[in-house]
Every structure is written in C-alpha cells, then in structure tokens.
Amino acid sequence: MSGRNSNMASHTDVGSQMSSPMAFIFVFNLLLGAGALALPAAFAVAGWLVSTVLLVILCFASFVSASFMCEGMAIANVLQNVACPKKNDNVTETEQLLAGSANDTEYYSNLSLQISQSQASLGGSRYSFRISKRIEMAEMAEIFFNKVGVVLFYVAVIIYLYGDLAIYTVAVPKSLANVSCIPDLRDEHNVTLCWNGVSHDAAYRIFVLIYVLCIGPFVFFNAQKTTLLQIFSSILRHTSFFIMVVIAIDRIMKHKHGVPKPQDVKPVIFDKIPDFIGVSVYCFMCQHSLPSFITPMKNQNRATPVLLSALAACLGIYAVVCYTATFSFENLEDVYTLNFANFGVIPIRYFLELYPVFCLTASYPIIGITLRNNLKTLFSKEEYPWLVDRVVFPLLTIIPPTIIGMCTENVEFLVSYTGAFSGAAIQYIIPACFVLLGRIKIKEVFGREASSVNKNHSVFSSNLWPVVLLVWAGCCMAFVLYYKINAAFFSDN
C-alpha cells in the first residue's frame, strides 16, 4: 500500500491564516497587473460601447469561474477525506483498499463504485466541505480528470504560468532600463547608452539579474510571507491609477493638444473586438492562484464576497481608466504609462514610468509560488527531501523565465502567446470541467443532497452555468484565433 493519497497535499502546507481584507488585497493585486496597462489602447481601438459591454461580461464570467474553483476545491477536499480518513477514524475495509490505489485517476473515478450509499451517508456527518488543505489546480486535475485530461491540463497551466513569469521578468527590467538610459546619448554605432558606456541591451540584462535576485527569493516561501509587499504594492497601484485618471481628466477639461473630439471616438469597431477580448481575458485572470488565497482564509464563508468585491473593484478601475484614456488621448500607446512620458512634472513622470515595476513586482511571487506548488504535484511524490522541496523546485520555477528574459525584450510576443489559448483554458474551461465532474462524483458518493451540505457551493448551482462558460470559452478562443490569423496573413492588406 503506497499511502500516497493520504498525504497528497502534505507538501502544500496551508501556512498562517489570512483575513478577508488581506485575501481581497492579494486577489486585487493579482488582477490589477500587466493587463491593466494594455487595456486602454485595446478599449479605445475596439470602440467604447462594445468594449464596455464585453468588459462587464468578461468580469462576470471570471467571477462565475472563480466560484467554480472554490466549489471544486471543497469537493476535492471532501473526496480526499472520505477516501483517506485519519488513522483514528473508523475506517472500513473498502476504504483501506481504496487508499492503497496507486493510480489517482482510477482511484477517484472508482470511489463511488466501491463505497456504498449507506457508508457515504454515514461519512457525510463525519466529513465537512471546508477547504482545509490547499489543493492546487494540478492536484484537482488528478482527482477529476482522466489521464488525457491531466496531460492537457499540465500543458495549459505550465505554458501559462511560465509565460506569465517571463512577461514579468521582461517588463520590469525593460522599464528600469528605459528610465535609466538617455535616448539621445548614443555611441558611434548608434547604440543607446546608459551609464559608463553601458549599452541599453547590457543594462536591460543587468536589471534582469537584479530583479530576479531581489524578487525571486519570495518564491521560496508561502504567499502569506509577501503580506507587506502586497500592502505596499496596493498603495502604489491606487496612487498610480489615481494620478493617471486625474491627468487624463485635466486634459479633457482643458482641451489640450492631442485630445480627440467626442465624435471621433467610435462606439464599435468590429474587426478589433478579438484583440480586446484577448487582453481582457488576461486582465481578469486569478483562478490559478485561488488555492493560495482561499484555503488559509479564517472565514471561508466570505470567499464569494471577497472574489466579487475584488473583481468589481477592478472592473470599476478598468472602466474609469479606459474612459478617461479614450477621451483624453488621440493615440494610445500599447502600454498606457508611455502616454505620460512627456508630462511636465518630472517626479510624477518618473513615478508613472516606473508603475510597471510596482504592479508586476507584487504579482511575481504569487505566480511563482503557484507554479512551484503545481510543479511539486506534477512529480507526484509523497514527501521531498528538504533540499529538493525548499531549493530545487523554487529554482525550477525561477530559472526558465530568467533565461527567456535574458534572450528577449519583446513583451508583446510573450503576452500574445501566453494568454491566447492557455489563458482561456485556465480561466474558463478547467474550472467549468472541475465543477461539472466534481458535482457528479460528489452526488455518487453523498447522494443528491450533497449540495445542501457543501457550504462552498457556487451560487451558480445549475449545471447549465458550466456549459455556458465552456461555450463562452470556445467563442473567446475563436475570436483570438481569428485575430492571430488575420494579423499573420492579412495585416498588410
């Protein structure tokens, strides 16, 4: 008997408890990341009316999938508890045999066939649906999916998380290099110089190493260890967006040069909608890191309000920033902060130019910790030696994005291929499949009354909602595919 299942989450310890306000700050910081800087340009190009409607729909879809993640985590916890009770529990012979199964997928799929309804009902009073163990998405995939589904899951999540870290590893050092270098200072080969004859490319790579050495160590700890960093980053984010909104409103009120006429701002531009959807999907991504936030919450009954308030707050900020940007700048840069490069007040100009450093730095440890935990589960070992657990896995998380950062500065390339399909899969398809399959399994084990016992059940209790989310994901991916094909083959026409 392997005993692996009884301690499947033992290496993903919960850590210290987290209050609801701190959980809100963590989710809010994760949402208000790199996508927020690319959103205004996409919003204006697609048209203010259709962009507004789609922004609300995408925010709602993200909330639905986030609630599915919470329900899926609760179901995964109770399935583990029923299958592998504590040693002092009254364990039946059937349950003991099940606990020794070596194949997780077959193990969980056969659980309901091996435990009778009477045993399950008896266990129902013994096992709660509280999310007591942090079960990452990778482990949930092993519980709910077959072998093919698990492989597809790992392909999607690893591509996305590594791509996400690569974006952060490139964007922050690039911003630092742009601020520190003087555009008009060039050598005889027309290469931009920064200091002491160091080229822009060399300075960028120096900043990559400095950034990874400063932020990378956070990946060696739990998400709760970044609390002070999250609070500091949240204050900087609010300040940065407040300043950008005030400057934009001032431009509109004073009709400064470059402010578009209201009639020139289009409500709908159909061929640009796919681009806006691709950026917006990235903006509302938080599902992959929810296990790190929801599991340690002191009051898990507040999980849904926390998620709703964080998403609503981001939606409000996105709307205000996008509207003020659309009606204050005739030509919006891909990264919104670049529109303030010529602002007259030097300290504010530098503060806004360095905003990508503020907003991405706090998210790097969260994404890194999530990737680290999923890599641990991927290798499916019950316990790791201290060196492997505390050193090797964090290094496996940090080194590949660092190598990518040393090889390229092209943020747009990384964003487009990171968020296109793997992003939609993680945000919509995987949570919807988790909850559909989880509801089937839990009804087989506990009966049809299981939903009334599960306090973490999604408010979207009908099975029609996951199906709608899957259809929506298909539409989003089709739009993105259309955009990629159009950009690759018809952009010059």
Side-chain angles (χ1 to χ4, degrees):
M1 188 178 299
S2 66
R4 171 182 174 274
N5 295 300
S6 62
N7 292 307
M8 190 178 294
S10 63
H11 55 275
T12 53
D13 56 304
V14 174
S16 58
Q17 286 192 316
M18 183 186 298
S19 65
S20 296
M22 273 310 307
F24 170 86
I25 292 175
F26 271 80
V27 178
F28 179 82
N29 281 348
L30 187 64
L31 287 167
L32 205 63
L37 301 178
L39 190 62
F43 184 96
V45 170
W48 64 268
L49 180 59
V50 69
S51 295
T52 302
V53 174
L54 286 173
L55 200 64
V56 174
I57 294 174
L58 287 161
C59 180
F60 177 74
S62 181
F63 172 65
V64 173
S65 65
S67 70
F68 288 163
M69 274 297 300
C70 292
E71 181 177 346
M73 286 188 287
I75 293 174
N77 267 265
V78 79
L79 284 176
Q80 283 194 349
N81 290 335
V82 169
C84 308
K86 296 179 180 179
K87 294 181 179 180
N88 58 355
D89 285 341
N90 184 19
V91 186
T92 67
E93 181 179 356
T94 302
E95 289 171 333
Q96 290 176 352
L97 292 173
L98 282 171
S101 174
N103 188 304
D104 287 329
T105 304
E106 294 179 1
Y107 171 67
Y108 284 105
S109 63
N110 292 329
L111 175 63
S112 59
L113 300 178
Q114 309 253 355
I115 302 178
S116 67
Q117 284 291 334
S118 60
Q119 289 174 311
S121 299
L122 179 62
S125 61
R126 212 171 33 169
Y127 303 104
S128 70
F129 282 80
R130 177 173 173 78
I131 305 173
S132 56
K133 297 178 183 177
R134 186 180 70 234
I135 302 180
E136 298 289 347
M137 291 185 77
E139 194 169 348
M140 293 172 67
E142 292 183 356
I143 292 173
F144 296 126
F145 293 165
N146 59 23
K147 291 181 179 179
V148 175
V150 171
V151 171
L152 293 176
F153 165 81
Y154 277 119
V155 170
V157 75
I158 290 176
I159 290 175
Y160 180 83
L161 293 176
Y162 269 128
D164 225 7
L165 287 183
I167 292 169
Y168 297 168
T169 305
V170 171
V172 172
K174 187 174 182 178
S175 298
L176 293 171
N178 289 343
V179 170
S180 64
C181 296
I182 304 174
D184 297 330
L185 181 60
R186 298 176 181 272
D187 63 9
E188 65 275 12
H189 302 292
N190 201 32
V191 175
T192 302
L193 300 177
C194 295
W195 62 88
N196 296 329
V198 177
S199 68
H200 180 278
D201 290 344
Y204 161 75
R205 287 173 174 81
I206 291 172
F207 279 120
V208 168
L209 293 176
I210 293 175
Y211 177 71
V212 172
L213 289 174
C214 291
I215 303 300
F218 285 102
V219 180
F220 289 76
F221 305 103
N222 291 321
Q224 294 93 312
K225 303 298 183 181
T226 66
T227 297
L228 293 178
L229 180 64
Q230 298 301 320
I231 295 174
F232 178 70
S233 175
S234 182
I235 295 172
L236 292 177
R237 288 165 191 259
H238 283 86
T239 304
S240 300
F241 276 101
F242 177 78
I243 292 173
M244 287 189 284
V245 169
V246 169
I247 294 174
I249 293 175
D250 180 70
R251 286 176 55 83
I252 296 172
M253 297 295 291
K254 295 181 178 179
H255 302 283
K256 291 187 176 181
H257 176 70
V259 175
K261 297 179 181 179
Q263 59 269 25
D264 294 334
V265 181
K266 305 297 182 182
V268 180
I269 304 176
F270 286 104
D271 60 342
K272 298 299 183 181
I273 292 176
D275 187 21
F276 176 76
I277 290 179
V279 175
S280 298
V281 169
Y282 192 82
C283 285
F284 289 113
M285 177 69 73
C286 65
Q287 286 73 10
H288 51 70
S289 292
L290 288 182
S292 295
F293 306 142
I294 303 302
T295 307
M297 283 186 64
K298 295 178 182 177
N299 185 3
Q300 292 182 356
N301 293 332
R302 301 289 301 168
T304 297
V306 165
L307 292 172
L308 180 60
S309 58
L311 285 163
C314 284
L315 175 63
I317 291 175
Y318 290 158
V320 171
V321 171
C322 288
Y323 268 96
T324 54
T326 300
F327 289 93
S328 63
F329 293 98
E330 190 172 6
N331 296 310
L332 284 169
E333 300 288 346
D334 290 341
V335 179
Y336 185 42
T337 51
L338 297 179
N339 287 94
F340 302 91
N342 296 321
F343 187 68
V345 182
I346 302 299
I348 293 180
R349 184 181 75 189
Y350 279 117
F351 180 78
L352 295 179
E353 282 186 307
L354 291 172
Y355 170 74
V357 179
F358 306 147
C359 77
L360 300 184
T361 295
S363 296
Y364 185 101
I366 298 172
I367 302 298
I369 290 167
T370 302
L371 176 57
R372 180 202 69 190
N373 292 336
N374 278 284
L375 287 173
K376 285 183 178 181
T377 308
L378 170 62
F379 289 95
S380 302
K381 189 175 178 62
E382 181 180 349
E383 292 183 2
Y384 295 100
W386 185 91
L387 183 65
V388 175
D389 184 69
R390 298 294 183 178
V391 178
V392 174
F393 277 110
L395 289 178
L396 283 176
T397 301
I398 297 169
I399 290 175
T402 304
I403 294 174
I404 294 174
M406 297 295 286
C407 295
T408 181
E409 296 183 47
N410 194 331
V411 178
E412 183 180 358
F413 171 83
L414 295 172
V415 172
S416 62
Y417 285 94
T418 297
F421 298 103
S422 57
I426 293 171
Q427 185 170 165
Y428 301 135
I429 297 176
I430 293 173
C433 290
F434 280 168
V435 81
L436 277 174
L437 296 175
R439 288 174 181 177
I440 293 173
K441 290 179 183 294
I442 211 67
K443 284 183 180 179
E444 290 175 348
V445 176
F446 286 101
R448 294 187 177 276
E449 301 300 323
S451 59
S452 61
V453 181
N454 187 359
K455 294 182 179 180
N456 286 295
H457 198 283
S458 171
V459 294
F460 305 98
S461 57
S462 171
N463 284 335
L464 180 62
W465 282 106
V467 175
V468 170
L469 195 63
L470 290 171
V471 172
W472 174 251
C475 293
C476 290
M477 295 173 75
F479 272 120
V480 174
L481 180 61
Y482 161 80
Y483 170 73
K484 296 296 180 185
I485 294 175
N486 183 70
F489 297 103
F490 307 106
S491 58
D492 293 333
N493 293 345

